[in-house]
Amino acid sequence: MDLIIHHWDADGICSASLIARHLAKGDFLNASPPVGEYRFDERIHRLIEGADSVFVADLNVPGEVEGVGKRTIFFDHHIQPRIKSSVVRQINPVIEGKNSASCAIVVSQHLDTWGAETVIGTVGDAGRSAFSIPEIRKTMERLGMSENQAKRLAELVDSSHISGNRAGVEEAVRVILESDWRDLLEYEPWIRQAEEIEREIEKVLSGVEQKGNTAFIEFRSKFNIISRVARALVWSMGFEEALVINRDFNGKVQLYYRISREVAPEKGTGRMILDLRSLGISAGGKEEVVGCVFEPEKFEQVIEVVKRYVGWLD
Ligand SMILES: [Mn+2]
């Protein structure tokens, strides 16, 4: 039995499906880590024990792969060190100083199989810019798939991890493998999930507190929607600054701060990211955004830092 361990997002699911298609008919198992966690849990370790060989796709977990101890093929496009284990074959263009918009492209190139999965996975990771990649264009033309259909499919395939549905993530690999891509557009469980996500976002947005050009929202949800909420506040609703906090994202706190492109050049978020990191929190972002996840015990400390930058917060 072959085991495919994959990322929970559309690129990971589609990469797994491409690999599965290449294997002897249906004789595979696939598994994804708990949504949001870059590690192999007990269940995955047990599955590895029972597997003949292992595939890992789109999961940036070089340490875990190094420790598998079985014949493994590791497809990825994230920046990572060269794997030393002699039983692991690492297929990642980054190692040769190249890059790839998606893991699905890496798998397609290696197996010489281009299909709807390649398109969906790439659009999931790269958004609209996927459409300017010649191989993606060519595959879409051959399939008769429009840009809107590709975007909708990526949204549907991503709906499982956004709603925290690990089983749904894992089922998706077989659903894609066994369906024509046109039927995926009508796949009820994903449509319902995507609707639920939209409703949850609307509900959260309705709780906005505003002061002038700034917006603040605090909520509790198992859905990973915080970046979508902040984007809606700044991009669609016209706020200059948005601070969004999910007080209970599977027991952790998620915080997301976004400023508009107009104020970003003078305001910037670089120092805020550094201050948050000095608390031992893994904070990331760009000039316009800061995102971090942390244990609830750190809440007061984090808010003290955030207040220095978001003056109106009291
Ligand atoms: Mn990816």
Side-chain angles (χ1 to χ4, degrees), residues 197-208 217 220-221:
I197 292 166
E198 293 309 316
R199 272 201 301 279
E200 185 83 348
I201 291 171
E202 286 306 315
K203 195 178 92 193
V204 168
L205 282 172
S206 72
V208 64
I217 296 182
R220 286 165 197 275
S221 175

PDB file of all heavy atoms in Angstrom, residues 197-208 217 220-221:
ATOM      1  N   ILE A 197     -18.951  29.161   4.848  1.00  0.00           N
ATOM      2  CA  ILE A 197     -17.813  30.062   5.046  1.00  0.00           C
ATOM      3  C   ILE A 197     -18.246  31.503   4.767  1.00  0.00           C
ATOM      4  O   ILE A 197     -17.959  32.411   5.547  1.00  0.00           O
ATOM      5  CB  ILE A 197     -16.630  29.657   4.133  1.00  0.00           C
ATOM      6  CG1 ILE A 197     -16.056  28.313   4.595  1.00  0.00           C
ATOM      7  CG2 ILE A 197     -15.554  30.735   4.121  1.00  0.00           C
ATOM      8  CD1 ILE A 197     -15.112  27.660   3.587  1.00  0.00           C
ATOM      9  N   GLU A 198     -18.965  31.700   3.659  1.00  0.00           N
ATOM     10  CA  GLU A 198     -19.438  33.055   3.327  1.00  0.00           C
ATOM     11  C   GLU A 198     -20.341  33.603   4.424  1.00  0.00           C
ATOM     12  O   GLU A 198     -20.230  34.768   4.815  1.00  0.00           O
ATOM     13  CB  GLU A 198     -20.186  33.055   1.984  1.00  0.00           C
ATOM     14  CG  GLU A 198     -19.305  32.762   0.769  1.00  0.00           C
ATOM     15  CD  GLU A 198     -18.046  33.622   0.698  1.00  0.00           C
ATOM     16  OE1 GLU A 198     -18.137  34.837   0.942  1.00  0.00           O
ATOM     17  OE2 GLU A 198     -16.968  33.061   0.420  1.00  0.00           O
ATOM     18  N   ARG A 199     -21.256  32.740   4.922  1.00  0.00           N
ATOM     19  CA  ARG A 199     -22.162  33.175   5.988  1.00  0.00           C
ATOM     20  C   ARG A 199     -21.396  33.548   7.249  1.00  0.00           C
ATOM     21  O   ARG A 199     -21.686  34.554   7.888  1.00  0.00           O
ATOM     22  CB  ARG A 199     -23.175  32.063   6.320  1.00  0.00           C
ATOM     23  CG  ARG A 199     -24.440  32.109   5.468  1.00  0.00           C
ATOM     24  CD  ARG A 199     -25.585  31.371   6.140  1.00  0.00           C
ATOM     25  NE  ARG A 199     -25.272  29.967   6.384  1.00  0.00           N
ATOM     26  CZ  ARG A 199     -25.370  29.008   5.462  1.00  0.00           C
ATOM     27  NH1 ARG A 199     -25.779  29.306   4.233  1.00  0.00           N
ATOM     28  NH2 ARG A 199     -25.063  27.768   5.752  1.00  0.00           N
ATOM     29  N   GLU A 200     -20.391  32.727   7.583  1.00  0.00           N
ATOM     30  CA  GLU A 200     -19.595  32.996   8.781  1.00  0.00           C
ATOM     31  C   GLU A 200     -18.862  34.338   8.639  1.00  0.00           C
ATOM     32  O   GLU A 200     -18.803  35.126   9.574  1.00  0.00           O
ATOM     33  CB  GLU A 200     -18.599  31.839   8.989  1.00  0.00           C
ATOM     34  CG  GLU A 200     -17.774  31.925  10.264  1.00  0.00           C
ATOM     35  CD  GLU A 200     -18.483  31.403  11.503  1.00  0.00           C
ATOM     36  OE1 GLU A 200     -19.718  31.167  11.438  1.00  0.00           O
ATOM     37  OE2 GLU A 200     -17.808  31.248  12.535  1.00  0.00           O
ATOM     38  N   ILE A 201     -18.334  34.600   7.464  1.00  0.00           N
ATOM     39  CA  ILE A 201     -17.630  35.866   7.223  1.00  0.00           C
ATOM     40  C   ILE A 201     -18.602  37.038   7.381  1.00  0.00           C
ATOM     41  O   ILE A 201     -18.292  38.032   8.048  1.00  0.00           O
ATOM     42  CB  ILE A 201     -16.960  35.869   5.829  1.00  0.00           C
ATOM     43  CG1 ILE A 201     -15.797  34.877   5.812  1.00  0.00           C
ATOM     44  CG2 ILE A 201     -16.476  37.271   5.443  1.00  0.00           C
ATOM     45  CD1 ILE A 201     -15.199  34.627   4.438  1.00  0.00           C
ATOM     46  N   GLU A 202     -19.804  36.900   6.802  1.00  0.00           N
ATOM     47  CA  GLU A 202     -20.817  37.955   6.931  1.00  0.00           C
ATOM     48  C   GLU A 202     -21.156  38.213   8.396  1.00  0.00           C
ATOM     49  O   GLU A 202     -21.235  39.360   8.840  1.00  0.00           O
ATOM     50  CB  GLU A 202     -22.101  37.556   6.173  1.00  0.00           C
ATOM     51  CG  GLU A 202     -21.987  37.656   4.660  1.00  0.00           C
ATOM     52  CD  GLU A 202     -21.518  39.025   4.189  1.00  0.00           C
ATOM     53  OE1 GLU A 202     -22.035  40.046   4.701  1.00  0.00           O
ATOM     54  OE2 GLU A 202     -20.607  39.078   3.340  1.00  0.00           O
ATOM     55  N   LYS A 203     -21.341  37.117   9.120  1.00  0.00           N
ATOM     56  CA  LYS A 203     -21.701  37.229  10.536  1.00  0.00           C
ATOM     57  C   LYS A 203     -20.604  37.970  11.302  1.00  0.00           C
ATOM     58  O   LYS A 203     -20.870  38.891  12.078  1.00  0.00           O
ATOM     59  CB  LYS A 203     -21.892  35.817  11.126  1.00  0.00           C
ATOM     60  CG  LYS A 203     -22.600  35.799  12.459  1.00  0.00           C
ATOM     61  CD  LYS A 203     -22.813  34.371  12.962  1.00  0.00           C
ATOM     62  CE  LYS A 203     -21.662  33.937  13.852  1.00  0.00           C
ATOM     63  NZ  LYS A 203     -21.635  32.495  14.135  1.00  0.00           N
ATOM     64  N   VAL A 204     -19.355  37.573  11.067  1.00  0.00           N
ATOM     65  CA  VAL A 204     -18.230  38.205  11.756  1.00  0.00           C
ATOM     66  C   VAL A 204     -18.152  39.687  11.382  1.00  0.00           C
ATOM     67  O   VAL A 204     -17.977  40.553  12.236  1.00  0.00           O
ATOM     68  CB  VAL A 204     -16.913  37.466  11.413  1.00  0.00           C
ATOM     69  CG1 VAL A 204     -15.705  38.266  11.861  1.00  0.00           C
ATOM     70  CG2 VAL A 204     -16.904  36.083  12.059  1.00  0.00           C
ATOM     71  N   LEU A 205     -18.321  39.995  10.096  1.00  0.00           N
ATOM     72  CA  LEU A 205     -18.233  41.388   9.635  1.00  0.00           C
ATOM     73  C   LEU A 205     -19.321  42.252  10.269  1.00  0.00           C
ATOM     74  O   LEU A 205     -19.119  43.449  10.492  1.00  0.00           O
ATOM     75  CB  LEU A 205     -18.345  41.446   8.106  1.00  0.00           C
ATOM     76  CG  LEU A 205     -17.086  41.059   7.327  1.00  0.00           C
ATOM     77  CD1 LEU A 205     -17.387  40.970   5.835  1.00  0.00           C
ATOM     78  CD2 LEU A 205     -15.949  42.058   7.564  1.00  0.00           C
ATOM     79  N   SER A 206     -20.472  41.646  10.577  1.00  0.00           N
ATOM     80  CA  SER A 206     -21.566  42.435  11.152  1.00  0.00           C
ATOM     81  C   SER A 206     -21.231  42.895  12.568  1.00  0.00           C
ATOM     82  O   SER A 206     -21.884  43.793  13.104  1.00  0.00           O
ATOM     83  CB  SER A 206     -22.873  41.628  11.131  1.00  0.00           C
ATOM     84  OG  SER A 206     -22.805  40.606  12.103  1.00  0.00           O
ATOM     85  N   GLY A 207     -20.200  42.295  13.170  1.00  0.00           N
ATOM     86  CA  GLY A 207     -19.823  42.700  14.528  1.00  0.00           C
ATOM     87  C   GLY A 207     -18.745  43.767  14.567  1.00  0.00           C
ATOM     88  O   GLY A 207     -18.090  43.950  15.585  1.00  0.00           O
ATOM     89  N   VAL A 208     -18.572  44.477  13.468  1.00  0.00           N
ATOM     90  CA  VAL A 208     -17.478  45.462  13.411  1.00  0.00           C
ATOM     91  C   VAL A 208     -17.754  46.681  14.301  1.00  0.00           C
ATOM     92  O   VAL A 208     -18.867  47.176  14.393  1.00  0.00           O
ATOM     93  CB  VAL A 208     -17.229  45.903  11.940  1.00  0.00           C
ATOM     94  CG1 VAL A 208     -18.429  46.631  11.377  1.00  0.00           C
ATOM     95  CG2 VAL A 208     -15.974  46.772  11.835  1.00  0.00           C
ATOM     96  N   ILE A 217     -12.605  44.085  15.028  1.00  0.00           N
ATOM     97  CA  ILE A 217     -13.533  42.964  15.201  1.00  0.00           C
ATOM     98  C   ILE A 217     -12.894  41.911  16.086  1.00  0.00           C
ATOM     99  O   ILE A 217     -11.734  41.551  15.891  1.00  0.00           O
ATOM    100  CB  ILE A 217     -13.895  42.293  13.850  1.00  0.00           C
ATOM    101  CG1 ILE A 217     -14.652  43.256  12.933  1.00  0.00           C
ATOM    102  CG2 ILE A 217     -14.760  41.045  14.086  1.00  0.00           C
ATOM    103  CD1 ILE A 217     -15.080  42.631  11.610  1.00  0.00           C
ATOM    104  N   ARG A 220     -15.130  34.560  17.758  1.00  0.00           N
ATOM    105  CA  ARG A 220     -14.660  33.204  18.051  1.00  0.00           C
ATOM    106  C   ARG A 220     -15.162  32.290  16.958  1.00  0.00           C
ATOM    107  O   ARG A 220     -16.365  32.237  16.705  1.00  0.00           O
ATOM    108  CB  ARG A 220     -15.245  32.714  19.390  1.00  0.00           C
ATOM    109  CG  ARG A 220     -14.611  33.340  20.596  1.00  0.00           C
ATOM    110  CD  ARG A 220     -15.441  33.104  21.852  1.00  0.00           C
ATOM    111  NE  ARG A 220     -15.015  34.031  22.882  1.00  0.00           N
ATOM    112  CZ  ARG A 220     -13.988  33.810  23.702  1.00  0.00           C
ATOM    113  NH1 ARG A 220     -13.336  32.662  23.643  1.00  0.00           N
ATOM    114  NH2 ARG A 220     -13.630  34.714  24.580  1.00  0.00           N
ATOM    115  N   SER A 221     -14.246  31.571  16.297  1.00  0.00           N
ATOM    116  CA  SER A 221     -14.682  30.681  15.229  1.00  0.00           C
ATOM    117  C   SER A 221     -13.620  29.640  14.948  1.00  0.00           C
ATOM    118  O   SER A 221     -12.423  29.920  15.013  1.00  0.00           O
ATOM    119  CB  SER A 221     -14.964  31.485  13.963  1.00  0.00           C
ATOM    120  OG  SER A 221     -15.274  30.617  12.896  1.00  0.00           O
TER     121      SER A 221
END
